[in-house]
């Protein structure tokens, strides 16, 4: 996916995976009804079980989450070292899943140009290094920092670099201090605090209250952080969140992950962009086209439409361009497996296809083929932009 995006956009890509820590699930209600019985809601595997008989919160699951996260990170390192991300692997370019002949020709044209370029680079020796960007990638981890008890336990101090300029006085009262400080505590003015459970963490749309514990925690860590921005957030509230999390106006310190839905983005995104443009903040704008486009199929399955996802992405690109801003990221829920949880795409999956391989316990995910479809679609939009045409 990232190679196709690089080709279309002619920009480097930062790959951030929502894994190795995403075991908590925000819920709108503490209870749900299953088979006519009112029970505790499923809050993710690090709290309780999807099994209705095991809904009582179990603190041992927090330890299990930590060890599963560590195992996941080590497994990814092993895959990358073994050449899993080597773009010269021929199976990466199999377009047999594309049913529409016209779309297949369009995708194949991009693949042909990519493989021609790679072949040329191999001839001139540009791919000879084992450390080549064509053989491996940098992959960062991320998750929604929902359970603060878990995040707090993995927050650590780091001494500031010699000569590092202090941040604005008054904007932050003090660094965040976990309940169990290190054995030899550093003076607050000599250290910064980092969340070591992931490279990048974000605040969800349900936990971004200005006076809430999540915003308070996030303002005290130095990781790059994200904030989900939905239809319920007022422009003035968005500016206030940025003022709290980014008092020194650091470029890229905060990523704004917008999630409206294809039918609402034109109503809400422009006001949010204009409000930020009137400040000195320079956040990264990222589109989450999945969470606002979740529906229930006639089969009873929770699903998402590929067309709605693409519609929100392209609308976001257009709105940012018209306002002199730029969409710099896309936040997708996907799997590398051949699931049938979202409809549409080049496989032309319908609601009747969902039961054939529907495995998610939480939100529906784009499958391997649909994820690649989205990369091709985005690449095509930016390719047309470079060439002065319309997608």
């Amino acid at each position: 996916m990232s190679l196709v995006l690089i080709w279309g956009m002619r920009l480097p890509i930062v790959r951030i995976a929502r894994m190795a820590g995403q075991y908590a699930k925000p819920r709108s209600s503490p209870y749900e009804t299953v088979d006519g019985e009112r029970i505790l809601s499923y809050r993710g595997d690090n709290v309780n079980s999807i099994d209705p008989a095991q809904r009582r919160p179990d603190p041992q699951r927090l330890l299990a989450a930590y060890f599963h996260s560590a195992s996941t990170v080590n497994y990814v390192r092993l895959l990358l070292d073994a050449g899993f991300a080597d773009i010269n692997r021929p199976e990466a370019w199999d377009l047999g899943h594309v049913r529409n002949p016209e779309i297949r020709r369009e995708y194949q044209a991009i693949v042909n140009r990519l493989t021609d370029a790679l072949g040329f680079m191999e001839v001139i020796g540009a791919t000879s290094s084992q450390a080549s960007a064509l053989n491996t990638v940098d992959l960062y981890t991320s998750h929604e920092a929902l359970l603060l008890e878990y995040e707090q336990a993995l927050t650590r101090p780091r001494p500031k670099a010699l000569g590092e300029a202090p941040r604005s006085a008054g904007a932050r009262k003090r660094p965040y201090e976990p309940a169990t400080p290190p054995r030899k505590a550093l003076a607050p003015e000599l250290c910064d605090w980092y969340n070591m459970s992931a490279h990048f963490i974000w605040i969800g749309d349900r936990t971004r209250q200005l006076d809430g514990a999540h915003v308070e925690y996030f303002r005290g860590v130095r990781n790059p952080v994200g904030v989900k921005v939905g239809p319920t957030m007022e422009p003035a509230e968005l500016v206030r969140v940025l003022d709290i999390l980014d008092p020194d106006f650091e470029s890229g310190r905060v990523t704004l992950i917008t999630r409206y839905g294809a039918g609402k983005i034109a109503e809400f995104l422009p006001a949010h962009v204009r409000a930020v443009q009137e400040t000195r903040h320079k956040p990264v704008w990222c589109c989450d086209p999945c969470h606002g486009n979740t529906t229930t199929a006639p089969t009873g399955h929770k699903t998402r439409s590929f067309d709605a996802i693409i519609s929100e992405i392209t609308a976001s690109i257009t709105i940012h361009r018209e306002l002199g801003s730029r969409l710099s990221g896309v936040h997708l829920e996907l799997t590398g497996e051949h699931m049938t949880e979202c409809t549409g795409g080049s496989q032309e999956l319908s609601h009747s296809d969902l039961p054939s391989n529907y495995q998610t316990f939480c939100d529906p995910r784009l499958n391997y083929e649909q994820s690649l479809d989205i990369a091709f679609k985005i690449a095509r939009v930016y390719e047309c932009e470079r060439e002065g045409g319309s997608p």
Side-chain angles (χ1 to χ4, degrees):
M1 286 182 66
S2 57
L3 180 65
V4 172
L5 291 173
I6 292 170
W7 175 265
M9 300 175 68
R10 296 298 195 269
L11 291 170
I13 297 292
V14 178
R15 304 162 185 88
I16 306 176
R18 193 188 80 162
M19 65 181 192
Q22 185 64 35
Y23 303 117
K25 180 176 174 58
R27 302 304 300 267
S28 301
S29 172
Y31 296 95
E32 62 182 329
T33 301
V34 177
D35 296 330
E37 182 182 357
R38 185 171 180 264
I39 62 174
L40 290 170
S41 294
Y42 171 58
R43 293 185 172 275
D45 285 348
N46 63 349
V47 176
N48 55 12
S49 172
I50 190 67
D51 184 347
Q54 300 181 37
R55 291 297 175 86
R56 183 177 179 178
D58 181 359
Q60 291 299 317
R61 287 179 170 270
L62 294 175
L63 293 177
Y66 174 82
F67 289 112
H68 280 289
S69 296
S71 298
T72 300
V73 170
N74 287 331
Y75 180 61
V76 170
R77 287 172 178 155
L78 178 64
L79 287 177
L80 294 178
D81 288 344
F84 180 80
D86 191 332
I87 63 175
N88 295 291
R89 294 173 57 184
E91 62 268 27
W93 304 114
D94 181 12
L95 299 176
H97 65 278
V98 183
R99 295 183 181 179
N100 187 304
E102 183 177 346
I103 294 177
R104 183 182 297 184
R105 284 194 295 271
E106 181 181 328
Y107 289 0
Q108 192 63 55
I110 295 176
V111 169
N112 290 343
R113 281 179 284 169
L114 274 169
T115 51
D116 284 347
L118 292 171
F120 172 75
M121 294 176 67
E122 184 175 2
V123 169
I124 65 174
T127 63
S128 58
S129 171
Q130 290 300 311
S132 168
L134 304 179
N135 303 123
T136 189
V137 298
D138 290 327
L139 186 66
Y140 301 94
T141 62
S142 69
H143 62 262
E144 178 183 351
L146 181 62
L147 293 181
L148 293 183
E149 295 84 355
Y150 181 84
E151 307 302 335
Q152 174 180 298
L154 295 172
T155 304
R156 301 284 186 271
R158 181 192 71 86
K160 292 180 181 178
L162 188 63
E164 185 176 335
R167 289 182 296 280
S168 300
R172 293 170 60 187
K173 300 175 184 176
R174 55 179 173 76
Y176 179 84
E177 297 184 12
T180 306
R183 184 170 299 174
K184 294 183 179 180
L186 295 170
E189 65 274 12
L190 299 179
C191 69
D192 285 318
W193 292 87
Y194 285 83
N195 182 306
M196 299 297 187
S197 70
H199 298 99
F200 177 86
I201 52 176
W202 75 83
I203 304 175
D205 197 43
R206 294 184 179 94
T207 54
R208 53 170 171 73
Q209 294 80 11
L210 294 176
D211 58 352
H214 289 80
V215 170
E216 172 66 14
Y217 172 81
F218 271 67
R219 79 174 181 87
V221 295
R222 294 292 294 153
N223 303 60
V225 298
V227 180
K228 286 290 185 80
V229 179
T232 60
M233 178 177 273
E234 296 292 335
E237 181 187 3
L238 174 57
V239 171
R240 182 60 185 135
V241 169
L242 288 172
D243 288 342
I244 295 172
L245 299 181
D246 180 34
D248 298 305
F249 310 107
E250 296 179 65
S251 180
R253 151 70 176 166
V254 177
T255 296
L256 299 178
I257 309 168
T258 59
R259 44 154 295 176
Y260 307 106
K264 296 181 179 180
I265 184 170
E267 178 183 357
F268 293 100
L269 178 58
H272 286 150
V273 172
R274 293 190 186 99
V276 174
Q277 287 176 327
E278 293 174 358
T279 72
R280 294 169 55 195
H281 297 289
K282 297 179 180 179
V284 174
W285 287 96
C286 179
C287 174
D288 171 2
C290 293
H291 284 87
N293 293 301
T294 306
T295 59
T296 301
T299 57
H301 293 85
K302 196 176 178 181
T303 189
R304 290 166 176 157
S305 164
F306 178 87
D307 290 342
I309 290 172
I310 284 295
S311 175
E312 184 159 356
I313 294 173
T314 54
S316 186
I317 293 172
T318 300
I319 291 169
H320 278 286
R321 183 193 303 128
E322 291 175 349
L323 295 177
S325 179
R326 186 176 184 88
L327 180 68
S328 298
V330 179
H331 176 110
L332 299 170
E333 287 198 323
L334 57 86
T335 174
E337 304 297 329
H338 305 286
M339 305 304 179
T340 55
E341 298 170 1
C342 296
T343 60
S346 60
Q347 292 177 293
E348 301 177 353
L349 296 180
S350 65
H351 288 149
S352 60
D353 295 315
L354 296 178
S356 60
N357 196 19
Y358 192 98
Q359 297 190 20
T360 182
F361 290 145
C362 296
D363 293 332
R365 302 160 295 175
L366 297 160
N367 63 23
Y368 169 83
E369 293 81 7
Q370 291 166 329
S371 304
L372 193 57
D373 289 341
I374 285 182
F376 278 119
K377 294 287 187 182
I378 296 175
R380 182 61 180 154
V381 169
Y382 282 99
E383 186 179 28
C384 290
E385 181 183 280
R386 291 199 325 271
E387 296 173 353
S390 59

